[in-house]
Amino acid sequence: MFSKVAINNRGEVAVRIILACQELGIKTVLMHSDVDINSKAYRLADETYCIGPAPTNESYLNQQAVIEACKKTKSEAVHPGFGFLSENANFSQLCEENKIKFIGPSAKAMRLFGDKASAKKVARELKVPTLLSFEGELGQLEAEAKKIGFPLMIKATAGGGGRGLKIVKNEKEFAETLESAQREAKSSFGSGSVFLEKYVGTAKHIEVQIFGDGKGSAVHLYTRDCSVQRRHQKVIEEAGEVYISNTLKEKLYADAIRLAEHCNYEGAGTVEFLVEGDEYYFLEMNTRLQVEHPVTEEVLNVDLVKAQITTASTQVMPWTQSQLSVSGHAIEARIYAEDCYNNGMPATGKIGFCKWPEGPGRRFEVGFEEGDEITANYDSMIAKVIVKAESRKQALQKLKVVLEQTIVFGLPTNIPLVSEIIKKPEFISGDMKTTFFAAHFSEGLENPELTQEQVDLVGQLKFKVGEISQSNITTASPWSSKVWGQS
Amino acid sequence: MKYLIDGKHIYAQKINGALWFHVDGKTYKHVDESQIASASSAEVNVDFIKAPMPGKIIKVSVKSDSQVKTGDVLVIMEAMKMEYKLKAGRDGIVVIHCKEDDAVSLGQDLVTFNEDN
């Protein structure tokens, strides 16, 4: 087992990895940018090492700096978390060349599935259903687009994770969208290479968690439903009672395992599919730990991060397929610092008082505490709320209560938005598709007014908290209290 | 942090002159009217739109010298995997200071309104 592991990440996942290491008796070194000093991960890590200034390409994406830091701190392995360098084959290779164990799959597996067009080719070779697509010559794209039919998607081959996607509604828009897709792909991912894919607008996003031993064997850890997405970014994820047929599930498991075993996959990975009725299509394979891994952990009673670390050290899988069985249902809501009454505009600033309502079946992955600052350098996710219960119905009720009891002061959060999402009949029935969010929430939320009772409460609070003198309370209230964003 | 009001414990905190409190399962932020004038956001300061965070311009919906109305989407930008629509805070004639695919930094001027109107 490793005696020291470096963590090249931040926020709640850095905390997650540190805690797993601590439980395994492994010393932790947090690689961080200069602004991430005021964070829970920084405070928890045994050692910390500043790898660069705030901009990600100068710190978390700075491969040389990370390698240097691992050497200086004598870290035997590095856990890349998700995002950043977690799916960077060159970095994985660089680690190997420097005798540092990269906790994750091989560079070969990452290259195979990192290129989204190559991933589809592999899927087809392995007889996994894929969406009709064309990954060939630029010059042929326009002709092939007509064959595929509109609407269709133009996808960046170096993209993934919901980025580098453009929808083309009709033939007229094709040329312009293609040009802009290539430009964006080049600047976002370093490569302007794109491919075409049939667009399936209304489907369920179902993914299979897999885990491999790096020697050709893999197991599946069942499915997750991540259909609630805002512009391809997941907001709510679930595991347990996933509402697709058992026949379909067995096919997804088998296909996912086949893909993983094909490239001697090591560690945790996820195969994403679109499910439309009885049909399913391979979307992509993510060769890393995913944000939503906790819901799988909750219904299977496993620790995926500890598994990643131990398998990286021993090349042995911690479980056999027969040891893995689903019990109950878990739901995760991502909590972002954003103004949901103003188009989801991300909020920056200091976090105030927080209260995460602990209790049975309630799990909080928190990256920041009171006094920490959220800056505009990184995404504004501050925490994840995960609930587990015996059934989906009970889990929904638990989530509703947890969201009502969660308090975050100082920055607005998307909690009101999540609360509204889980009230929708389509969500309660479990029927929601990828069109769900846009159908109900494209215009954002209405800023609620306070009731008179609440206005009176404000008056009393202000007196107690020390803002105004006693006499002002008796005058007619001139305050129009609104929720953040209006002030 | 916890205050007893009419027999109920209410969590509240004063931060930068604003009163944050949690009641009936929701969190609120209250700012006195007198302080509203000094606040700033992408929409309240209506005569310009500055980039609310570092990111990339995905689409510029209007050309310079176009007439726009309050609420019109002028620029769409991308940051941290999310897309944000930046809207006009007033009517007027716009001057666009960015183009598609530009990388922009926090606070950078994206749109201003023509001084003449």
Side-chain angles (χ1 to χ4, degrees):
Chain A
M1 181 51 72
F2 307 116
S3 53
K4 196 189 263 193
V5 167
I7 294 123
N8 184 38
N9 217 296
R10 59 185 303 280
E12 55 86 22
V13 75
V15 173
R16 175 80 184 85
I17 300 164
I18 290 170
L19 292 178
C21 286
Q22 288 176 346
E23 287 179 25
L24 289 170
I26 299 172
K27 284 212 170 348
T28 55
V29 183
L30 178 71
M31 313 263 132
H32 65 93
S33 70
D34 60 8
V35 296
D36 275 334
I37 286 178
N38 289 315
S39 65
K40 192 169 167 189
Y42 186 90
R43 293 185 285 271
L44 276 177
D46 294 312
E47 292 175 43
T48 59
Y49 196 102
C50 182
I51 44 170
T56 51
N57 60 324
E58 293 177 61
S59 48
Y60 298 104
L61 293 178
N62 186 340
Q63 298 184 35
Q64 276 306 331
V66 178
I67 297 286
E68 272 304 301
C70 287
K71 285 183 177 165
K72 288 231 175 84
T73 56
K74 296 199 179 41
S75 302
E76 295 158 290
V78 60
H79 196 307
F82 42 66
F84 296 143
L85 295 171
S86 64
E87 287 180 288
N88 190 309
N90 291 339
F91 178 66
S92 164
Q93 210 170 302
L94 200 59
C95 286
E96 204 181 335
E97 287 162 14
N98 285 276
K99 301 207 179 17
I100 299 163
K101 175 67 179 156
F102 175 86
I103 297 175
S106 62
K108 181 164 172 236
M110 281 199 257
R111 285 199 177 101
L112 202 60
F113 293 106
D115 178 315
K116 302 305 165 188
S118 136
K120 288 182 64 108
K121 286 206 182 93
V122 175
R124 279 199 291 268
E125 278 164 27
L126 295 176
K127 308 263 189 296
V128 176
T130 58
L131 286 165
L132 186 59
S133 64
F134 179 73
E135 299 101 24
E137 292 293 305
L138 185 56
Q140 296 175 283
L141 288 182
E142 189 139 16
E144 292 296 325
K146 293 196 188 108
K147 284 194 205 158
I148 291 174
F150 296 89
L152 56 74
M153 292 267 250
I154 300 180
K155 289 186 166 181
T157 56
R163 295 177 64 210
L165 312 169
K166 279 199 181 306
I167 298 172
V168 186
K169 295 202 268 301
N170 53 53
E171 213 176 307
K172 272 195 333 239
E173 295 180 5
F174 185 77
E176 196 193 314
T177 313
L178 174 62
E179 209 190 297
S180 130
Q182 290 173 295
R183 259 200 329 260
E184 275 185 41
K186 182 92 176 88
S187 81
S188 299
F189 313 113
S191 159
S193 168
V194 299
F195 66 98
L196 309 177
E197 191 176 77
K198 184 159 175 55
Y199 176 63
V200 172
T202 303
K204 272 198 161 296
H205 175 117
I206 306 289
E207 52 190 46
V208 177
Q209 175 72 51
I210 54 99
F211 199 98
D213 64 2
K215 301 198 300 265
S217 290
V219 295
H220 73 81
L221 289 102
Y222 304 87
T223 50
R224 289 188 290 259
D225 184 329
C226 307
S227 304
V228 180
Q229 301 177 13
R230 175 172 62 187
R231 296 185 284 266
H232 303 287
Q233 294 308 313
K234 298 165 184 167
V235 181
I236 295 181
E237 307 108 336
E238 311 183 53
E241 287 174 35
V242 172
Y243 298 138
I244 57 173
S245 74
N246 284 330
T247 319
L248 205 47
K249 279 181 191 169
E250 292 299 326
K251 289 184 189 170
L252 297 182
Y253 302 152
D255 285 0
I257 288 179
R258 210 154 64 246
L259 283 163
E261 291 184 342
H262 172 76
C263 55
N264 292 344
Y265 196 87
E266 182 182 310
T270 297
V271 184
E272 296 189 335
F273 298 94
L274 279 184
V275 174
E276 201 184 21
D278 288 325
E279 302 294 323
Y280 69 99
Y281 309 99
F282 168 79
L283 267 183
E284 61 185 58
M285 177 156 167
N286 294 318
T287 55
R288 57 175 157 86
L289 183 74
Q290 290 203 263
V291 173
E292 58 269 26
H293 72 274
V295 295
T296 293
E297 293 183 318
E298 288 300 308
V299 298
L300 291 176
N301 200 19
V302 298
D303 185 321
L304 281 167
V305 182
K306 268 157 81 173
Q308 284 182 299
I309 299 167
T310 51
T311 297
S313 169
T314 63
Q315 256 80 53
V316 175
M317 259 191 312
W319 340 267
T320 60
Q321 190 68 67
S322 56
Q323 289 174 321
L324 297 166
S325 65
V326 173
S327 166
H329 190 86
I331 311 178
E332 172 183 278
R334 301 188 189 191
I335 308 300
Y336 288 93
E338 65 179 42
D339 185 348
C340 51
Y341 302 109
N342 184 19
N343 216 22
M345 216 38 88
T348 55
K350 265 213 177 92
I351 296 185
F353 171 76
C354 293
K355 186 166 188 293
W356 304 98
E358 304 280 349
R362 301 168 174 217
R363 173 175 165 180
F364 303 96
E365 299 288 336
V366 178
F368 305 94
E369 299 172 312
E370 185 168 2
D372 290 337
E373 183 143 354
I374 302 293
T375 65
N377 294 289
Y378 314 107
D379 71 53
S380 56
M381 188 165 77
I382 51 179
K384 295 174 335 207
V385 166
I386 301 117
V387 296
K388 156 87 193 293
E390 277 164 26
S391 68
R392 184 169 188 271
K393 189 162 170 214
Q394 288 180 49
L396 277 179
Q397 176 59 21
K398 191 176 283 194
L399 183 59
K400 171 179 176 283
V401 171
V402 166
L403 292 175
E404 283 169 3
Q405 295 173 349
T406 298
I407 301 176
V408 177
F409 288 157
L411 292 174
T413 68
N414 64 333
I415 289 175
L417 178 62
V418 179
S419 300
E420 286 306 307
I421 288 173
I422 65 177
K423 283 184 194 163
K424 296 292 182 200
E426 229 171 295
F427 183 81
I428 294 172
S429 70
D431 203 32
M432 68 287 169
K433 310 285 195 302
T434 50
T435 40
F436 171 80
F437 191 92
H440 296 282
F441 299 100
S442 57
E443 293 306 306
L445 293 186
E446 281 287 310
N447 219 330
E449 294 277 351
L450 293 187
T451 61
Q452 185 55 52
E453 205 182 300
Q454 289 168 339
V455 171
D456 294 340
L457 176 70
V458 172
Q460 293 186 68
L461 268 174
K462 289 180 80 170
F463 169 61
K464 293 223 173 188
V465 177
E467 282 215 24
I468 55 167
S469 65
Q470 173 71 40
S471 58
N472 288 8
I473 293 172
T474 57
T475 58
S477 165
W479 313 305
S480 69
S481 279
K482 293 202 195 226
V483 187
W484 55 76
Q486 300 289 330
S487 52
Chain B
M1 231 56 56
K2 246 185 334 203
Y3 301 90
L4 191 58
I5 309 241
D6 294 335
K8 275 205 306 202
H9 274 115
I10 308 281
Y11 284 91
Q13 188 181 29
K14 187 170 81 168
I15 300 174
N16 291 333
L19 176 70
W20 290 79
F21 60 99
H22 191 85
V23 71
D24 299 332
K26 288 192 164 83
T27 302
Y28 297 88
K29 175 189 179 190
H30 168 80
V31 178
D32 277 345
E33 292 279 348
S34 59
Q35 294 176 306
I36 288 174
S38 62
S40 69
S41 76
E43 282 189 43
V44 172
N45 275 314
V46 295
D47 291 327
F48 51 79
I49 293 181
K50 286 180 185 291
M53 69 222 120
K56 202 170 74 151
I57 307 296
I58 307 181
K59 191 175 163 138
V60 178
S61 306
V62 295
K63 292 199 177 66
S64 276
D65 293 332
S66 307
Q67 177 77 38
V68 302
K69 295 189 315 297
T70 304
D72 283 351
V73 174
L74 304 180
V75 174
I76 303 181
M77 67 176 288
E78 189 240 343
M80 295 307 151
K81 295 182 159 203
M82 309 274 227
E83 249 182 49
Y84 300 99
K85 294 183 182 151
L86 304 178
K87 301 179 179 171
R90 51 164 280 197
D91 297 351
I93 296 181
V94 291
V95 182
I96 306 293
H97 302 278
C98 60
K99 59 185 193 305
E100 251 183 59
D101 293 338
D102 278 355
V104 298
S105 44
L106 173 67
Q108 187 172 328
D109 275 336
L110 303 180
V111 178
T112 52
F113 280 81
N114 193 314
E115 301 278 296
D116 298 342
N117 64 99

